[in-house]
Structures are given as structure tokens and as C-alpha cells.
Amino acid sequence: AQEGKMIRIVNAESLSFDKERGDAQVLRGNVICEHEGTFLHCDTALIYEHPNRMIASGHILITKGDSIRITSEKLEYDGRTKMAALQGNVKCVENDMTLTTNMLSFDVKRSIASYFSGGTLVNRENTLVSRNGHYYSGSKEAAFHYDVVLTNPDYTMRCDTLRYRVNSKTAFFLGPASIVSESDSIYCENGWYDTNHEKARFSRNAVYVTAQQTLKGDSLVYDRQAGEGRALGNVSLMDTSQKSVLYGHYIEYRKDSSEACATDGDI
């Protein structure tokens, strides 16, 4: 890899050289370094001109632009690849999004934060937990894998793979997913859910369940706030209170009144 610009020392209370550490520059006290527009703050740092590398500890702070701030206890930064490895109480903050983990890899050039040993993303009322995750600052999107749980005051969503758009607060599931609240639950294997407006579309073995009704179809369209659902394709509505099953190609269901309308054709 080409070295490009060298890591620049902006401030330090003391500077010395340590030949036992490969001619490293030893910086102590209110250390501030800069590399191609990104600032790295810490208490103590070792700067290696060759291969353009920084090892830091104590009150780590990375700032890029006006929005991204990352804090941790330890940092290793490679100026050639522009990759930062952070450890210990890592927190990445951008606007109303906060990502916390114990180990984070940050691609400074592309503004991509990744974790592989468990992390939590909080976006206002939504909390996302997973084993692996990636946050893309440029597109304001995140991808989560393995044991993914999204918790909202009104429901809990579980799946194995999920993409999340931070600005619109919309979740996209790619595989089996369940959404459970006190009054109903939904299962599907593909779809999206707008957590801000509580509107969704589910497909692949989609099932909507309330205390007395079970609605199935190839595709479900759901509006939680309105309490309305629509199912299309191979639709069935089972009502345990009425001991009845309704079949059709298209069904509309209203939760509050427990009313349903079915047809064999499209509406």
C-alpha cells in the first residue's frame, strides 16, 4: 500500500524518541494528530514514520467532519490503509445514532464502522443488538447479522439478517423474522418495516396473528397505527372465536372491529 500523507502531530505536551520501539516518536499529554482531515486525540501515542502508523491509549477520540465522533480506550491506526482498530468501551456517535461495542474497525476513508463480537445501535426509540454489524455513514445505513434484535417501546423484532436505514428508521429483513407486541405478532421471511410510521410489507410465508385471528398470504401489507391489514395471494383468515376460515385471493382485515372482506380477484 502507498503511504500517502504522513500522520501529522498537531499538539503534545512532551515528545521523545524510543529506539527500543523502532525509532517511535513518543507523545504524551493532550495529544492531537491529524491525517487527511481526520483528527485523532489521546493521552499517549507512539508515532512510527515508517510504516506511517500510530498506536494510542487513554481517552481516544476520532473526529471526522462535523458529525462523526468515536471514543475508546485504545487505538491502532494505519495511515497507509486509513484503517483504525479501536478497543475498550467503543462509542461511535453521529447525529441521533449511537453505536457501542468493545472492538470496532473503522474505515476512515469510507466512513464505515464494523464490529464482529457484539454491538448495540440506538436510534432514538429503536435499539438494535447483533453479533456482527456495519454502519455506513455515507448512506446512513446499517447491516446486522446473527441474533439480531430490534427493540421498540411497542414491539420486539427478531431476525438473523437485517438492513436498517437510520434516517427513515426502516428495517429490511432478509430471512426469517418475527415482530411481537402485546396484542399481535407477525412472521415472515422477507419484507420491510417502517418503524417511524409503523407501516410494513411482508412476504414469503407471511402470517399475522391476533388473540382470535390468524391471517396468512403470499404478501401482507400492514398499518399498525390504523389497525388494518391486507393479504394478497393464497390468502386465509382463521377466526377462532367464530370457528370459521375464510379463503380468497385478497383479504382486507380491520383489527378494532374484527371485520374482514375477501375476494377471489384483485381490488
Side-chain angles (χ1 to χ4, degrees), residues 73-94:
E73 297 172 0
K74 295 180 180 180
L75 164 72
E76 289 192 21
Y77 178 70
D78 189 328
R80 300 168 301 170
T81 61
K82 301 179 182 64
M83 293 294 299
L86 301 106
Q87 295 184 46
N89 297 314
V90 184
K91 180 183 289 187
C92 176
V93 179
E94 184 173 26

Side-chain angles (χ1 to χ4, degrees), residues 182-198:
E182 291 184 359
S183 60
D184 56 23
S185 66
I186 296 168
Y187 172 86
C188 72
E189 295 172 5
N190 191 278
W192 57 265
Y193 192 101
D194 180 342
T195 68
N196 195 33
H197 300 97
E198 296 190 297

Side-chain angles (χ1 to χ4, degrees), residues 136 141-148 157-165 170-179 187-193 201-204:
Y136 304 88
E141 291 190 0
F144 303 91
H145 307 278
Y146 309 116
D147 303 327
V148 183
M157 181 187 302
R158 298 178 185 274
C159 60
D160 200 56
T161 300
L162 181 145
R163 288 193 299 113
Y164 182 73
R165 291 180 180 170
T170 301
F172 298 82
F173 357 97
L174 308 170
S178 65
I179 304 172
Y187 172 86
C188 72
E189 295 172 5
N190 191 278
W192 57 265
Y193 192 101
R201 188 179 186 105
F202 310 102
S203 59
R204 294 185 189 171

Side-chain angles (χ1 to χ4, degrees), residues 49-252:
E49 288 191 5
H50 302 285
N52 199 14
R53 181 165 167 254
M54 175 181 181
I55 300 176
S57 61
H59 298 94
I60 303 296
L61 169 63
I62 297 178
T63 60
K64 182 180 179 183
D66 297 328
S67 57
I68 297 179
R69 293 172 58 88
I70 305 177
T71 58
S72 68
E73 297 172 0
K74 295 180 180 180
L75 164 72
E76 289 192 21
Y77 178 70
D78 189 328
R80 300 168 301 170
T81 61
K82 301 179 182 64
M83 293 294 299
L86 301 106
Q87 295 184 46
N89 297 314
V90 184
K91 180 183 289 187
C92 176
V93 179
E94 184 173 26
N95 300 323
D96 61 357
M97 186 284 302
T98 301
L99 171 64
T100 56
T101 181
N102 199 48
M103 297 181 67
L104 185 77
S105 174
F106 183 58
D107 184 330
V108 174
K109 182 178 181 179
R110 297 187 295 169
S111 296
I112 300 174
S114 304
Y115 62 86
F116 303 94
S117 57
T120 302
L121 184 146
V122 177
N123 180 215
R124 294 187 180 178
E125 70 277 7
N126 293 324
T127 300
L128 271 155
V129 178
S130 69
R131 274 195 279 159
N132 294 0
H134 310 273
Y135 173 66
Y136 304 88
S137 176
S139 61
K140 301 298 183 290
E141 291 190 0
F144 303 91
H145 307 278
Y146 309 116
D147 303 327
V148 183
V149 181
L150 186 155
T151 304
N152 180 281
D154 297 324
Y155 53 84
T156 299
M157 181 187 302
R158 298 178 185 274
C159 60
D160 200 56
T161 300
L162 181 145
R163 288 193 299 113
Y164 182 73
R165 291 180 180 170
V166 174
N167 289 343
S168 65
K169 302 177 185 63
T170 301
F172 298 82
F173 357 97
L174 308 170
S178 65
I179 304 172
V180 180
S181 71
E182 291 184 359
S183 60
D184 56 23
S185 66
I186 296 168
Y187 172 86
C188 72
E189 295 172 5
N190 191 278
W192 57 265
Y193 192 101
D194 180 342
T195 68
N196 195 33
H197 300 97
E198 296 190 297
K199 294 181 179 181
R201 188 179 186 105
F202 310 102
S203 59
R204 294 185 189 171
N205 300 314
V207 183
Y208 171 58
V209 180
T210 67
Q212 297 178 331
Q213 289 85 25
T214 299
L215 180 63
K216 297 181 179 180
D218 292 339
S219 179
L220 297 181
V221 179
Y222 180 58
D223 187 331
R224 182 182 291 274
Q225 293 180 359
E228 296 178 351
R230 289 181 290 144
L232 299 89
N234 299 311
V235 177
S236 68
L237 175 61
M238 182 174 65
D239 191 315
T240 56
S241 64
Q242 301 295 324
K243 297 181 179 179
S244 63
V245 180
L246 186 64
Y247 296 97
H249 180 75
Y250 178 94
I251 290 180
E252 286 188 358

